[in-house]
């Protein structure tokens, strides 16, 4: 209760005082009540007696009818203590005398008449009304009823007495209270003091750091308490000290282990029970190529990051950390390849250890340690590789210690010397040295001891079956890591075949020499004859040389002539072009009426000039082309193009003339992508078309393109472009002349057909030399001709 | 009026090409030697140059090289028209800096069209030929 004082002794005092106070008040009230009741009873008795007296006196005066005496009697009587009013009335209630006394004053007669309500029964009555005691007394004389006396008494004295009693009781209660408080204080004092002392003791005990503290209080209980508290404090203190020491030790050991883990060359990872990485040391970061932050929280292994030794993905459930967490068993030397973030593969050998808390069986965490075995693995691999090379080498490869003990022995050695590996390893190499070479071993070992290499030493070794084998030895010292010579390796090659061959060769040589000397004699006689024949031959050669010189001179002359011809053609071509330019140009300008109108006849003449000029130009161009081809000066310029487009282009140039002559042009050309010299092919095709149209008077010209069999890998399929006409045809005897230059056959119609006489010659030359194909001609005189150009569809540029 | 420089010593040829060029709306500036041609090519700023190769004095190849080397003449198209038609001529002409190459004889009806196509120039406004001669000075700002 918050309004209560906190201190214990005050609480006790308060409680006792309250109880005492309540008791005092109640006893005061009870005694006051009893007192007032007793006083009221005595007053009633007194009043009743007095009223009887009054009635007897009044009866006398009423019989005498002496009302004055009655009044004085009333006045006198009213002076009695406690009476406040005295009244006398007749039997019917009519008032005869009335005296009233005010508090502190004399009695006074009340004037006036009135009627009192008298009691019904004629007997004394008593009532208390309005704090007043009222007594009625009948006035009886003999048997007649004369009237009533009414006496009213004040009750102030009783009230006063009651109040006094109450006050006294209260005072008494207060006194008791004070007394009891004092008493309580005195009774509680030792206890409170003990408590206080205990409190102080406890406070000091807290700071005593385990030292014993005396308490200056004699009570036995306190002393007991002191002893046990001191004991507890001592124990607590020592426990605390121990704990502090332990904690410090723990901290030190933690720091030590931390620095150990941090400085370890081995990678260390801590895994939570769920397999996530919770800590990693710098070595782990270095080996795995990831920062600790990148690793923390990630699963022990991510699928696909690790590979087994055979290159397959490492199954995640076989990761040592997870196995350890699952089985609570440590895992050792699990080799796995980890892909670093930058892509390289690092091989690690992993150990894992479960961490199991006391009293538990499931691991709460796991630690994996690992080291980089990439180098070792590589070394092992290359070692295996080398070992395999050694093992399967055809040569015998043997290693031995400096003392000459055999250390290793390969299959080649077994093949060569007959011993199996198990038979010889550990035995001395002297086993293999033939007895006739007693110093060889010491000689070899001496040189090896100096670090030199013995190469191709041809000697002999003993086979297990006792036979001697010719071998070529290469012996080199073996070094340990510090460069010390610890033994030697011997490579022995079987040279018995060679030796045998050498022997045979020598024999054969000797035989040969024998035969040679026999033959030499024979030859000497023959050479005599030869010398004579040679003489004759030399003469013939001399003659030939003379002829050759003549031929060379003729050849040079021919070449010079050829050069002159080329020069002539070139300069003729140039010189002719300038006037031709004017002829063709100006006739064009005039014919096109740039300079004013020209009449029809003039136009015809101009057209003749123009046509002649153009014809001349064609001639020159053909001559130049022929000259270039003959000089080998035209080069192939290969392009990709669509053949049907080229054919269409050529046809478009002759279509007008064909139309004018009423000829039908028929084309059957499938699309075909070609790679050859477009310009030259166009020249050939156009030439054939224009010939066909030129020499055909009626009918049609058929152009047919098809692929022939005989596919050539380098040059593509052979394409035939055939132009068949229904013209005059060629006589059989003329066929061979068709491709000669300047040969012009008369057409059957005897009409003048324009032409240079070089067209077919040039076309065949181009087809053969540039397009690497051929031009074939079949013809039936009077019915028509068919020219077929067969060329490879793809030429290398 | 757009100008074309024709370097040509042969009067007939000059006359013929002039017909075609004027008909196409160009003003023809003739030059009879390579030296003069180089000078005019740099001073007159023609739309293109028509160059004969066989010239007295420096030949057309040398003239082309000089125009190409001059600081202001670097970009003008040079069209060679020549009667050299032997193997290798073409290479020498392009090497000398000419933009296009036509063999004589030329066809006056189509030559300008061919030149335009070869050097990527568009023709002057059609019909320019009719009003070309009298309005010559107006076009120069």
């Amino acid at each position: 209760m918050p309004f209560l004082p906190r201190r214990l002794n005050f609480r006790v005092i308060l409680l006792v005082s309250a109880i005492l106070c309540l008791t005092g008040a109640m006893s005061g009230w009870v005694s006051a009540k009893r007192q007032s009741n007793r006083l009221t009873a005595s007053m009633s008795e007194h009043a009743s007696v007095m009223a009887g007296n009054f009635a007897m006196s009044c009866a006398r005066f009423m019989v005498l009818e002496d009302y004055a005496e009655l009044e004085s009697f009333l006045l006198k009587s009213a002076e009695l203590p406690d009476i406040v009013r005295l009244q006398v009335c007749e039997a019917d209630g009519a008032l005869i005398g009335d005296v009233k006394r005010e508090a502190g004053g004399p009695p006074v007669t009340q004037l006036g008449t009135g009627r009192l309500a008298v009691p019904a029964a004629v007997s004394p009555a008593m009532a208390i009304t309005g704090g007043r005691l009222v007594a009625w007394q009948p006035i009886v004389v003999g048997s007649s009823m004369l009237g009533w006396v009414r006496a009213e008494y004040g009750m102030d004295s009783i009230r006063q007495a009651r109040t006094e009693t109450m006050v006294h009781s209260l005072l008494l209660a207060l006194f008791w209270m004070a007394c009891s408080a004092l008493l309580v204080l005195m009774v509680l004092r030792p206890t409170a003091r003990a408590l206080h002392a205990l409190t102080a003791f406890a406070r000091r005990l807290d700071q005593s750091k385990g030292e014993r503290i005396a308490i200056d209080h004699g009570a036995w209980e306190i002393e007991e308490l002191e002893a046990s508290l001191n004991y507890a404090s001592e124990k607590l203190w020592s426990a605390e000290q121990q704990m502090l020491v332990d904690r410090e030790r723990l901290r030190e050991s933690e720091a030590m282990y931390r620095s150990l883990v941090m400085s370890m060359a081995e990678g260390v990872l801590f895994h939570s029970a769920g397999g996530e990485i919770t800590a990693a040391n710098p070595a782990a970061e270095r080996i795995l190529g990831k920062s600790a932050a990148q690793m923390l929280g990630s699963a022990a292994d991510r699928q696909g990051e690790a590979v087994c030794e055979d290159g397959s993905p490492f199954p995640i459930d076989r990761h040592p950390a997870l196995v350890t967490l699952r089985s609570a068993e440590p895992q050792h030397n699990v080799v796995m390849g980890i892909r670093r973030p930058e892509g390289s593969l690092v091989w690690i050998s992993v150990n894992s250890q479960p961490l199991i808390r006391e009293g538990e069986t499931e691991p709460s965490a796991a630690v994996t340690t690992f080291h980089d075995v990439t180098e070792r693995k590589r070394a092992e691999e290359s070692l295996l590789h080398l070992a395999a090379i050694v093992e399967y080498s055809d040569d015998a490869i043997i290693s031995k210690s400096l003392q000459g003990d055999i250390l290793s022995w390969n299959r080649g050695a077994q093949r060569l010397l007959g011993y199996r590996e198990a038979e010889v390893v550990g035995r001395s190499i002297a086993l293999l040295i033939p007895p006739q070479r007693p110093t060889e071993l010491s000689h070899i070992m001496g040189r090896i001891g100096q670090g030199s290499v013995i190469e191709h030493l041809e000697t002999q070794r003993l086979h297990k079956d006792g036979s001697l084998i010719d071998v070529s030895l290469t012996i080199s010292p073996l070094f340990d890591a510090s460069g010390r010579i610890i033994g030697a390796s011997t490579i022995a090659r079987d040279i018995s075949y060679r030796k045998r061959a050498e022997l045979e060769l020598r024999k054969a040589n000797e035989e040969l020499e024998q035969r040679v000397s026999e033959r030499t004699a024979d030859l000497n006689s023959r050479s005599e004859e030869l010398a004579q024949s040679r003489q004759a031959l030399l003469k013939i050669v001399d003659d030939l040389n003379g002829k050759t010189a003549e031929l060379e001179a003729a050849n040079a002359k021919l070449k010079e002539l050829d050069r002159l011809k080329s020069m002539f053609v070139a300069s003729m071509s140039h010189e002719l072009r300038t006037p031709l330019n004017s002829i063709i140009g100006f006739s064009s300008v005039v014919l096109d009426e740039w300079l004013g109108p020209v009449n029809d006849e003039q136009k015809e003449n101009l057209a003749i000039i123009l046509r002649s000029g153009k014809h001349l130009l064609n001639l020159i161009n053909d001559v130049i082309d022929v000259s270039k081809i003959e000089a080998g000066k035209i080069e192939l310029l290969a392009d990709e193009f669509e053949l049907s487009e080229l054919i269409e282009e050529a046809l478009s140039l002759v279509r007008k003339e064909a139309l004018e002559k009423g000829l039908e042009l028929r084309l059957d050309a499938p699309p075909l992508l070609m790679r050859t010299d477009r310009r030259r092919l166009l020249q050939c095709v156009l030439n054939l078309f224009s010939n066909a149209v030129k020499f055909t008077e009626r009918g049609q010209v058929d152009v047919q393109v098809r692929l022939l069999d005989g596919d050539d890998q380098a040059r593509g399929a052979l394409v035939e472009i055939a132009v068949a006409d229904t013209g005059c045809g060629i006589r059989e005897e003329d066929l061979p002349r068709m491709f000669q230059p300047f040969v012009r056959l008369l057409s059957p119609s005897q009409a003048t057909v324009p032409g240079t006489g070089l067209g077919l010659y040039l076309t065949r030359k181009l087809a053969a030399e540039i397009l690497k194909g051929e031009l074939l001609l079949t013809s039936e005189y009077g019915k028509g001709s068919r020219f077929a150009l067969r060329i490879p569809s793809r030429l290398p540029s | 009026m757009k100008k074309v420089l024709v370097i040509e010593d042969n009067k007939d040829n000059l006359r013929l090409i002039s017909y075609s060029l004027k008909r196409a709306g160009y003003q023809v500036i003739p030059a009879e030697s390579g030296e003069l041609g180089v000078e005019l090519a740099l001073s007159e700023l023609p739309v293109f140059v028509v160059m004969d190769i066989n010239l007295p004095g420096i030949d057309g190849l040398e003239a082309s090289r000089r125009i190409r080397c001059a600081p202001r003449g670097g970009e003008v198209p040079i069209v060679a028209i020549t009667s050299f038609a032997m193997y290798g001529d073409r290479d020498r002409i392009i090497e000398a800096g000419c933009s296009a190459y036509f063999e004589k004889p030329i066809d006056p009806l189509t030559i300008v069209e061919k030149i335009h196509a070869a050097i990527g120039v568009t023709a002057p406004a059609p019909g320019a030929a009719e009003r070309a001669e009298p309005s010559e000075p107006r076009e120069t700002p």
Side-chain angles (χ1 to χ4, degrees), chain A residues 574 577 581 594-595 617 633, chain B residues 13 19 83 87 104-106:
Chain A
H574 181 228
R577 266 163 204 282
N581 194 37
W594 286 15
L595 309 169
L617 181 63
K633 279 185 174 174
Chain B
N13 290 343
Y19 276 131
S83 49
Y87 174 80
K104 278 179 195 168
I106 58 165

Side-chain angles (χ1 to χ4, degrees), chain A residues 685-697:
Chain A
V685 169
L686 180 60
N687 213 333
L688 295 179
F689 288 178
S690 110
N691 275 353
V693 171
K694 219 186 286 177
F695 292 101
T696 306
E697 294 310 318

Side-chain angles (χ1 to χ4, degrees), chain A residues 570 574 577-578 580-582 584-586 588-589 592 594-595 617 624 627-628 633 635, chain B residues 10 12-13 15-16 19-20 23 54 83-87 103-109:
Chain A
H574 181 228
R577 266 163 204 282
T578 308
L580 264 179
N581 194 37
S582 295
I584 294 172
F586 288 110
S588 280
V589 168
D592 213 42
W594 286 15
L595 309 169
L617 181 63
I624 287 175
S627 153
K628 278 177 181 171
K633 279 185 174 174
E635 283 189 354
Chain B
N10 184 312
D12 297 346
N13 290 343
R15 188 184 168 95
L16 184 61
Y19 276 131
S20 299
R23 194 172 168 80
N54 193 13
S83 49
F84 283 111
M86 290 301 278
Y87 174 80
E103 264 179 37
K104 278 179 195 168
I106 58 165
D107 181 354
L109 306 188

Side-chain angles (χ1 to χ4, degrees), chain A residues 43-80:
Chain A
M43 189 180 272
S44 305
E45 204 175 324
H46 175 70
S48 157
V49 174
M50 288 293 282
N53 290 342
F54 291 146
M56 264 187 302
S57 306
C58 288
R60 203 161 35 105
F61 297 125
M62 284 176 78
V63 171
L64 297 171
E65 292 184 6
D66 188 354
Y67 295 106
E69 268 310 308
L70 181 69
E71 197 183 333
S72 66
F73 170 74
L74 284 178
L75 279 171
K76 220 186 277 171
S77 299
E79 280 182 358
L80 288 170

Side-chain angles (χ1 to χ4, degrees), chain A residues 2 185 195 285 293 313 370 390 445 480 493 555 582 671 693 776 781:
Chain A
L185 265 178
L195 265 174
E285 293 179 322
F370 51 90
V390 167
M445 293 320 275
D480 68 2
R493 176 162 291 182
N555 199 15
S582 295
V693 171
L776 304 174
Y781 185 66

Side-chain angles (χ1 to χ4, degrees), chain A residues 184-202:
Chain A
V184 165
L185 265 178
M186 281 175 65
V187 168
L188 286 179
R189 202 168 164 210
T191 320
R193 201 185 292 160
L195 265 174
H196 192 72
L198 273 176
T199 312
F201 168 75

